[in-house]
Every structure is written in C-alpha cells, then in structure tokens.
Amino acid sequence: MQHHDVIILGAGAAGLMAAATAGQRGRRVLVLDHADAPGKKILISGGGRCNFTNIGTVPDRFLSANPHFAKSALGRYTPADFLELVEAHGIAWHEKTLGQLFCDGSARQIVAMLLDEADRAARSGGMVDIALGQPVEAVAHDGTQFRVTRGGRIYTAPRLIVATGGPSIPKMGATGYAYDLARQFGMKVVEPRPALVPLTLGGDETLFRSLSGVAAEVVARSGKTRFREAALFTHRGLSGPAILQISSYWRHGEAIGIDFLPDCAGDWLLAAKRAAPRTSPRRLLGQHLPDRLAETLAERLALPGELGAATDKALSAAAARLADWPFHPNGSEGYAKAEVTVGGVSTAGLSSRTMEAKAVPGLYFVGEAVDVTGWLGGYNFQWAWASGRAAGEAV
C-alpha cells in the first residue's frame, strides 16, 4: 500500500495543472492514467500546435446549468497567467484569429512544460509521480482516506482529484468514468452530450452533401445564439467552426439557421433587380458565394431566369431565406468527432472556489468532467488550467 497526500486520476490538461500546482505547494502527488503517455488530447489539439488559451475568455462563453460557476476559477487564473507560464518556458506563440493562441512549434512543448512544472515540486519539498498504462479498478472512501486500486496495488490519500475528462474522442481513450465516480459518491450528473461536433443531414437535405468540401463564411444560429465563422459542407452534413460552435447549443429535433450572406442588407436582391434586372439569380449569388453553393441555392430558390422577371415579393422572400436558411440536422457525428462534452458532474455539488465536492470532503472534480463547456478556440483549455489550478491550490 502506497500513501500520498493527493491522488489525481487523469494526466490530461487539468490533471497535470492540478498536479504541478499541488506539488509545488509541498504535496506528495500521484497521477494515474490508463493511457501510455500524458497529455494525449493536448498533443492532437490545434492541428498539433495546441490552441492553449483564448485571450477573450469571459464566463459567458461557457455553457453550464449554472452560468456563474466558472467565474471564480477563471477570474483567479486568467489567460494572461497561463501565457506568462508559456513565455517563462521559452515557448514561441502566435494569435491566429478571434483571440486564439497557438504554439509556433508543437503541442509537445505544452506537455513538456507541464511535466517540467510537476518536476519543480521537488524544490518545494513536494513530489509528483506519474504512473501510466493501467486502468483504475476501484475507488473507495473510508471516511478519511481514498483507496484507489490499480494493477493489484492499493494507493491511499486523503484527497482525490478526478480529472478524467468526458467521453469525447473515445479513440484517445476517453470515457465517462468521471460520471461513474460522481454517481458512486452520490453526486448528480447533468446529461452529457457531444459538443463542438459536426451535424448530420438527412431526408430532403441530403442533396447538400453533394457540396462536400465547399466552405463559406456564414452566421450560424440556434435560438438566439449566433456565430460568424466558416461553415463547411461534408459528405454527411455540416461542419466548420460556425457549425461546431452552434452544435453546443443545438438540441436534437431543433432547426438551425444559416445566414449565407451576412454582409448583405435585407433589401439587397431588390436593389440588384433595380441595378441589373437582366442578371440571373445564379450569377448574382456567384458574386458572393462559391460557385457550387451559389448554383445549389439558386436552384432551391426557384426564381425566374432573370431578376427583372421576379416579383419584389418573391425576391424579398428569397433574401429572407438566404439570411436564415433553415436546416434540420437529424443528429451529430457523436462523441467520435466531438471535441468536448456538454454536461457532466453537476456544479451544484461542487465549490466554485476549490472544485471540492460539498458532500464528500477531499473529493474534487476538474476540467471537462465538470458541467462547464467552453466555446471553440482555446476556451476549454483555459477552463482546464483554471479549474486544475483551483483544486491544486486547495488540496
């Protein structure tokens, strides 16, 4: 039997941050992960360059049953704080778009940085051991100590941090184990579902699959939530940043709206009719959109061959449809293609300051395991750093 001050389940972003923080406070930390290497999701993120934070991070860019929960951790560990750490390790970075920060080199630099920070624990009298390649078999609590069984050995600690993430990207070893543990200890779980995920089309809308590979800048809408970024048609439906963003808000059975011409005024087709009545709708759309998309939309609108032959009412209706074209996704591509998970361990049972379970002293949940989900573009990493830091400072 091996005893530690803290056991952390999960050697991902939140788990490694919690381990480094606790270790540098003099704690003896053991990190356990069934994967054969630490930080596997970090390594594949951002096309291998890791979109490690977003300078536009604010709490209202996160989804949760309690929209206020993330404020405490995010306010105490900011993108500027993480960027300071990145620069202290000599990692070159750049801002891509919309506040997204990436490594100039490789995501491996971020993992190496976190492991270096864990190694620094020895200077403070702490210790961080990382044991990989075997799954946890059981977790128990006797009122004072957590007992973790793994590979025939029992590890004990008065504090346990669960940083095993959610079920998104199962090929990377992701599971819903955090939810099982939460339920084991009597905690509630907000229904998880895939997020930041491509949407699929069926029925009459399958014709749009013929546009596979075509992309355009649009405004995607679900309810009152809107995102302006690129949308991409795929052989299964819709993807691209705008669709991934809106997928976190979309619910099965609902429609989404796409504004294909976000820079055009509501009366632009009427103005075009006055200016060039002999122009075809197909040609006009081709001035704003990729040819294949323009052709498909023009066919669906079924306007006359020339703008001048169309009534003002028909053109107004066509402009309105182009500004909010309804799609009815029949599903998503699921956890296999989801970047993160919406839902998770209910924040109602956690302290927003420490991430500790209110009903089980010494038990903490951090990162994607918790019902806090950020937008696309580095927000979920910032939540991992902030929540991991919060728990690491508390144990």
Side-chain angles (χ1 to χ4, degrees):
M1 186 177 295
Q2 295 186 23
H3 185 73
H4 296 78
D5 296 321
V6 187
I7 296 175
I8 299 175
L9 304 184
L16 292 176
M17 175 59 88
T21 302
Q24 290 177 23
R25 296 177 56 245
R27 306 296 187 259
R28 291 169 299 150
V29 182
L30 174 65
V31 182
L32 302 175
D33 199 306
H34 66 275
D36 57 5
K40 280 203 160 184
K41 268 195 177 181
I42 298 175
L43 295 177
I44 66 167
S45 67
R49 290 193 172 180
C50 188
N51 179 191
F52 56 79
T53 192
N54 194 298
I55 58 176
T57 297
V58 288
D60 65 5
R61 295 185 176 185
F62 293 80
L63 291 77
S64 175
N66 177 359
H68 301 291
F69 181 84
K71 290 180 179 178
S72 178
L74 292 173
R76 286 179 292 118
Y77 193 77
T78 67
D81 293 322
F82 191 78
L83 188 56
E84 183 179 351
L85 184 63
V86 167
E87 293 183 333
H89 282 259
I91 300 173
W93 59 274
H94 62 278
E95 180 180 350
K96 195 172 181 181
T97 57
L98 303 173
Q100 302 170 16
L101 304 190
F102 288 77
C103 297
D104 284 359
S106 167
R108 295 186 182 279
Q109 295 173 285
I110 298 296
V111 176
M113 177 191 78
L114 294 168
L115 296 177
D116 285 347
E117 287 294 308
D119 288 341
R120 284 183 54 203
R123 303 181 192 177
S124 307
M127 174 192 72
V128 176
D129 284 338
I130 301 176
L132 304 168
Q134 283 185 312
V136 167
E137 293 149 19
V139 174
H141 188 231
D142 63 9
T144 57
Q145 299 287 325
F146 290 91
R147 293 165 57 92
V148 178
T149 305
R150 175 183 180 271
R153 291 188 175 186
I154 295 175
Y155 305 88
T156 64
R159 297 171 183 85
L160 177 70
I161 299 176
V162 181
T164 54
S168 60
I169 318 183
K171 69 179 180 181
M172 301 296 297
T175 70
Y177 185 60
Y179 312 151
D180 297 336
L181 281 180
R183 294 186 183 103
Q184 176 184 328
F185 288 102
M187 301 175 66
K188 293 182 178 180
V189 175
V190 176
E191 180 187 2
R193 53 190 172 88
L196 301 183
V197 63
L199 299 176
T200 57
L201 298 175
D204 188 40
E205 292 175 335
T206 56
L207 72 89
F208 284 97
R209 296 182 189 175
S210 66
L211 296 175
S212 181
V214 174
E217 183 175 336
V218 305
V219 172
R221 178 190 62 79
S222 178
K224 294 182 179 180
T225 302
R226 288 171 165 78
F227 290 98
R228 178 169 178 161
E229 288 192 73
L232 171 70
F233 288 93
T234 73
H235 67 287
R236 297 192 65 187
L238 296 166
S239 188
I243 302 302
L244 298 184
Q245 293 278 39
I246 214 67
S247 72
S248 297
Y249 295 83
W250 173 79
R251 291 282 192 163
H252 193 80
E254 295 178 348
I256 63 170
I258 301 292
D259 183 350
F260 284 109
L261 300 160
D263 292 322
C264 290
D267 62 350
W268 75 281
L269 275 178
L270 295 178
K273 174 184 176 179
R274 309 286 185 262
R278 301 194 66 178
T279 298
S280 70
R282 161 70 182 81
R283 182 177 180 184
L284 183 64
L285 286 173
Q287 295 173 10
H288 300 272
L289 297 167
D291 284 345
R292 288 165 59 198
L293 176 57
E295 183 176 359
T296 298
L297 294 178
E299 288 176 358
R300 299 286 279 186
L301 291 171
L303 292 171
E306 295 182 352
L307 292 175
T311 65
D312 285 2
K313 182 179 179 180
L315 291 177
S316 293
R321 189 174 184 191
L322 288 166
D324 195 26
W325 194 288
F327 286 93
H328 301 82
N330 61 3
S332 76
E333 294 198 27
Y335 288 120
K337 295 292 181 69
E339 296 198 16
V340 290
T341 306
V342 164
V345 178
S346 174
T347 59
L350 299 174
S351 162
S352 63
R353 181 166 185 80
T354 65
M355 310 304 296
E356 185 176 19
K358 296 174 182 177
V360 189
L363 178 62
Y364 302 76
F365 288 85
V366 296
E368 189 185 343
V370 179
D371 176 32
V372 174
T373 306
W375 286 3
L376 183 73
Y379 294 95
N380 290 291
F381 271 127
Q382 187 57 39
W383 170 245
W385 313 136
S387 60
R389 179 84 170 195
E393 289 177 338
V395 294

